[in-house]
Amino acid sequence: MPAFPGEPVDDITAALSALPSGTPVSEVARRLLDLFTSGSVPAGTRLPPERQLSAALGVGRSAVREALAALEILGIVDVRPGSGTYLRGLASELLPQTLRWGLLIGERNTAQLLELREGLEIYVARLAAARADADVIARLDNSVKRMRETIADLPAFAKADLDFHHALAEAAGNETLTDHVHVVRSLLQVYADRAVHDPAEAERAVAEHEAVLAAVRAGDGDAAASAMAVHMSTATARLLADSQAGRTAEGEK
């Protein structure tokens, strides 16, 4: 049964409580975002007019207008002139977007992102070992074979490498975890695309992926996590070196 079967406008305003006097626009946006990503408002719902949201939150209409403008930039709502403002997606679709934007507009620390990626990928490998089926094993095996075949073609090698990690993440069977992995990976993509520089590094990366694959094929979560930890350690070292080299080059301009 829909959360707002009869009068969604009234139910949305009833779900909002007044904010303290002088509340900044950012907090107004946060309060609305909390409601919209709670799963209680169906995608496509038309939101109450600004005046009703303003009254429910106890803030000025300009604060509501600016908050909705910010949420439109995030892709959370769709403002249609002459029609109203509508919630764009389901909570499961909106959360990855808000996470991605939150990381993008914050001050990024490459070392911290790499550290986060390590932990996420290691956990993905552990779950995948317990949950991967024959189809996933075949995809992983195909990716590793393509990696070995393209050692001399580093762009193609990087694509096969990425496909391996995508298949592994899907095998983990945890969409929230997968969303986090994809967000962090996308933020690091500028370095990841050129993380392997020569055939020797590619050979080592293939061996590391083969170790992860063997553990997943055996259904051994501990071994898969350990193998991924080894791979993440060497990959992180390369990416940090690239990041440092990029900052040095930028400083010399």
Side-chain angles (χ1 to χ4, degrees):
M1 183 177 185
F4 299 94
E7 297 292 336
V9 167
D10 293 339
D11 287 321
I12 290 174
T13 52
L16 297 169
S17 56
L19 293 167
S21 177
T23 296
V25 172
S26 60
E27 186 56 36
V28 176
R30 187 186 304 275
R31 179 65 63 85
L32 292 171
L33 183 62
D34 286 345
L35 175 61
F36 298 157
T37 58
S38 68
S40 61
V41 184
T45 295
R46 186 168 72 171
L47 306 183
E50 287 178 5
R51 65 179 182 279
Q52 290 188 28
L53 291 174
S54 172
L57 292 168
V59 299
R61 289 181 64 175
S62 62
V64 170
R65 188 178 304 115
E66 290 180 39
L68 290 175
L71 294 180
E72 183 179 26
I73 291 173
L74 293 178
I76 304 300
V77 300
D78 181 19
V79 179
R80 305 175 192 172
S83 177
T85 302
Y86 296 79
L87 186 64
R88 293 189 64 173
L90 301 171
S92 60
E93 298 167 336
L94 299 177
L95 286 170
Q97 284 184 272
T98 60
L99 173 63
R100 181 177 294 108
W101 274 96
L103 287 172
L104 283 172
I105 64 178
E107 183 177 351
R108 284 182 286 165
N109 181 305
T110 301
Q112 291 180 3
L113 284 173
L114 287 168
E115 192 172 75
L116 176 59
R117 182 197 175 202
E118 282 193 45
L120 293 174
E121 294 277 12
I122 290 169
Y123 190 44
V124 162
R126 181 180 295 279
L127 291 180
R131 300 172 179 176
D133 58 21
D135 288 340
V136 171
I137 297 295
R139 287 175 59 194
L140 294 172
D141 189 53
N142 177 262
S143 294
V144 171
K145 287 179 179 177
R146 285 166 47 218
M147 288 175 69
R148 184 161 293 286
E149 292 168 354
T150 57
I151 283 176
D153 180 357
L154 295 183
F157 179 92
K159 176 63 168 59
D161 185 337
L162 185 60
D163 288 346
F164 179 94
H165 287 275
H166 280 166
L168 204 64
E170 290 178 21
N174 185 316
E175 291 185 1
T176 301
L177 176 61
T178 299
D179 286 337
H180 281 68
V181 172
H182 286 173
V183 168
V184 174
R185 195 180 288 144
S186 68
L187 292 173
L188 292 168
Q189 200 62 45
V190 65
Y191 303 118
D193 282 343
R194 56 176 187 267
V196 175
H197 301 280
D198 57 55
E201 289 182 349
E203 286 278 5
R204 181 172 183 179
V206 170
E208 291 168 355
H209 283 76
E210 287 175 337
V212 174
L213 172 58
V216 172
R217 196 194 303 275
D220 189 333
D222 289 341
S226 295
M228 182 59 79
V230 170
H231 173 51
M232 284 292 103
S233 178
T234 57
T236 294
R238 289 194 297 267
L239 290 171
L240 281 174
D242 267 7
S243 174
Q244 182 60 48
R247 287 197 297 269
T248 300
E250 187 67 27
E252 292 173 351
K253 290 181 179 179

